[in-house]
Every structure is written in C-alpha cells, then in structure tokens.
Amino acid sequence: MKIIKLIICLLFGLMFINAGLNKFLNYMPMEKMSEEQMKIMEAFMTIKWLMPLAGAIEILGGLLFIIPKTRALGAIIILPVMVGIVCHNIIFEPSGLPLVLTLFLINILIIADNWKKYKPMFS
C-alpha cells in the first residue's frame, strides 16, 4: 500500500510541477477558450504577479507533495489551487471533471491521512 501511495503522490506532484512550470515557460498548447474564459484570462494577465504566484505555488506544492515528510504541507498548499480548478471545471469545462475530481479526492485523502499533523492548528 505504501508503494501505491508513493506512486500516486509522485504522479500528483509531477502534474502540479508541470502545470506550474507551464505558467513560466508556456510549452503546452492551450485549448480554444470561450469568450467568457478569454475575459477571465485577460483579467488574470492584467494582474502581472498573479500567474507567476500561481505557478510558484503549484511547483512548491508539487515538490512538497512528492516528499513523504513534507506531504502534509504540500497537500494544504495545493488545496486552494485544487478548489479553484474544481470550480473552473464545474463552470467552464465539465468534460474535465472526472480527472479533476480524482485529483481533488487524492488531495483530500492525503489531508485525511495526515490529519494528526494538522491537529495543533485547531487546538
């Protein structure tokens, strides 16, 4: 079971590292966006620091998610990004929901698995 968890966390982390690097290097082609999505992207690009910040968070969270000792921190760092991805897919890209919900479930399961590490924040 540890090996499966390690592989799942490795793939999850690599996906976020890849997505974060793409925000800096733009090496993956983008799908055609709807007009509403274009307006949102223009708003994001108006705020010059937002995309680099999101990319840095994705890279950092992905790296932390891969390393077992820092996985709990990585899961919490990635959680707000995952919530945004889930919301975006519910509204604009429902066809991507199966993959996104699977990733969200992995994130939630890792948070649940490390719950004892978060307890001091609530006491």
Side-chain angles (χ1 to χ4, degrees), residues 24-40:
F24 291 106
L25 305 174
N26 296 316
Y27 55 85
M28 291 190 302
M30 289 183 66
E31 293 183 21
K32 187 162 172 52
M33 292 187 271
S34 68
E35 197 151 318
E36 197 172 357
Q37 286 175 307
M38 287 295 288
K39 288 179 186 176
I40 293 169

Side-chain angles (χ1 to χ4, degrees), residues 88-105:
H88 175 83
N89 275 269
I90 287 171
I91 296 168
F92 296 112
E93 301 284 338
S95 62
L97 271 176
L99 175 62
V100 170
L101 291 176
T102 302
L103 292 174
F104 188 66
L105 179 65

